[in-house]
Amino acid sequence: MSIMADAALDLRLRKAAAAWLTERSQRQQELATKAELAQFIFEGRRVALLDPQRGIRKPAFLDAALSIRTRFTPPGQLPPYEDREGPDGLLRYKYRGDDPNHHENVALRRAHQHGLPLIWFVGIAPALYLPRYPVWLIADEPEELQFVVALDEEQRLIQPGNAVDAERRRYVERLTKLRLHQPVFRARVLQAYGTTCTICQLRHRSLLDAAHIIPDGQPDGDPVVPNGLALCKIHHAAFDQNIIGIRPDHRIEVRPDIRKEVDGPMLRHGIQEMHGRQITLPRERSAHPHRERLEARYEAFRSAA
């Protein structure tokens, strides 16, 4: 069977897979395990959306790849796509091996040639993935053994391979941050903290954020778990506004003037009573907040206070 011979089947599968993943996300199931991704049912047949052994998934009845995968990296390491931007600001996805004609690379090339959307599964923890979809391969760069990836329709309009002016590059990078970097950082931090606010232990995923200790864009502001804290939206805002600080010994400190205020129960129970408590840390020591980053952020809090 070829893509051209049965394009309708191929497109139905991709739309059905996207709808299934969206439905899961709406039920607060943003992440998926290998086992869960093997249980997708399409028109009465089970179709695994992720290859358990390889980075590129092509069901036997299709000509083109359906999904790609990026491996999990430990908490203190940047995801491997972080250093794969080209002069155009677009991300790259590396070939399987160094043979452009390897059957998996051919499957990706067919997806590129036919403009087919792919699912990108980004590793959040061992055997646990955050789906990003749809993404497209918009250019093939065989000399560098890689494809150019567009994360949304607007990036598909960028001409790959050419250096772009600073304004256009910032625009492309902003889209990449919105569509990939921020969701992956949030997923990795929440996973490390057990989907729990480190200050108040709220566990409603939709009300939780991944807060940077050192702000994004500053030196040491990398999107890695040791530079992150899982915070509910109230405590994230309070942390960013220097109403709440976290000391390097993991104790919570509420700004002195805020402790003296008289207001309603949210201020009293949600902010003031947090003073002096210890934050809840991830089980894995490598995911704990980096001490030097906490020290720098705490000094900024003290200066503001």
Side-chain angles (χ1 to χ4, degrees):
M1 179 184 301
S2 71
I3 286 288
M4 297 304 291
D6 203 345
L9 173 68
D10 182 278
L11 290 175
R12 288 202 309 274
L13 171 58
R14 293 173 199 273
K15 289 180 179 179
W20 183 71
L21 291 169
T22 298
E23 182 184 5
R24 285 178 50 90
S25 179
Q26 291 171 345
R27 300 197 309 268
Q28 301 300 309
Q29 294 176 304
E30 299 170 343
L31 306 181
T33 65
K34 282 184 180 180
E36 289 168 337
L37 293 170
Q39 300 304 311
F40 172 64
I41 302 297
F42 170 66
E43 297 185 356
R45 74 176 92 180
R46 183 173 294 152
V47 180
L49 299 182
L50 179 76
D51 193 301
Q53 305 297 330
R54 303 176 179 86
I56 300 165
R57 168 65 174 147
K58 185 192 81 65
F61 61 91
L62 295 185
D63 257 4
L66 175 64
S67 72
I68 56 179
R69 176 176 57 170
T70 294
R71 62 182 175 81
F72 161 71
T73 51
Q77 296 182 17
L78 290 170
Y81 54 73
E82 283 285 340
D83 59 355
R84 291 188 180 169
E85 290 183 358
D88 45 33
L90 296 167
L91 292 177
R92 268 57 179 172
Y93 188 84
K94 289 295 184 181
Y95 283 3
R96 164 70 185 272
D98 57 8
D99 178 8
N101 294 316
H102 186 282
H103 65 90
E104 293 179 26
N105 299 327
V106 171
L108 283 179
R109 191 167 294 116
R110 287 172 179 158
H112 159 52
Q113 291 167 346
H114 295 288
L116 296 171
L118 296 164
I119 305 165
W120 190 350
F121 292 106
V122 182
I124 300 301
L128 185 67
Y129 298 90
L130 176 69
R132 299 285 83 196
Y133 60 94
V135 303
W136 293 267
L137 305 179
I138 59 173
D140 187 1
E141 298 177 333
E143 297 82 7
E144 289 79 27
L145 303 175
Q146 62 192 13
F147 293 94
V148 183
V149 183
L151 298 173
D152 67 3
E153 292 282 4
E154 293 182 74
Q155 286 192 347
R156 293 180 76 187
L157 302 177
I158 303 296
Q159 183 63 39
N162 299 319
V164 296
D165 60 57
E167 183 177 353
R168 176 57 64 90
R169 185 178 179 90
R170 284 194 297 270
Y171 174 74
V172 173
E173 290 174 345
R174 187 163 58 248
L175 290 176
T176 298
K177 182 179 293 186
L178 181 65
R179 291 276 291 129
L180 185 66
H181 293 183
Q182 290 176 347
V184 170
F185 177 65
R186 177 179 183 270
R188 293 183 69 181
V189 170
L190 295 194
Q191 181 68 19
Y193 281 82
T195 317
T196 302
C197 175
T198 189
I199 289 178
C200 68
Q201 289 75 58
L202 182 72
R203 297 183 59 86
H204 286 267
R205 187 179 188 91
S206 62
L207 298 178
L208 298 178
D209 293 333
H212 285 76
I213 297 171
I214 301 298
D216 183 33
Q218 293 188 11
D220 294 326
D222 301 317
V224 295
V225 175
N227 188 42
L229 296 166
L231 295 174
C232 70
K233 295 186 181 297
I234 287 290
H235 289 133
H236 185 183
F239 182 73
D240 283 352
Q241 295 297 316
N242 291 314
I243 290 172
I244 285 177
I246 297 175
R247 300 188 332 215
D249 63 359
H250 305 141
R251 291 284 174 183
I252 301 163
E253 191 168 310
V254 178
R255 207 171 69 205
D257 62 309
I258 299 296
R259 298 203 304 268
K260 296 175 183 177
E261 284 188 16
V262 177
D263 202 342
M266 175 56 72
L267 179 67
R268 184 169 66 255
H269 300 302
I271 303 290
Q272 293 168 334
E273 290 181 4
M274 299 298 108
H275 182 71
R277 294 190 182 186
Q278 183 128 0
I279 64 171
T280 302
L281 295 171
R283 291 183 179 180
E284 189 175 342
R285 181 170 291 276
S286 64
H288 286 191
H290 191 264
R291 183 177 180 85
E292 291 182 0
R293 288 184 170 107
L294 277 181
E295 287 175 348
R297 184 66 182 82
Y298 180 63
E299 285 305 311
F301 164 77
R302 282 171 54 84
S303 297

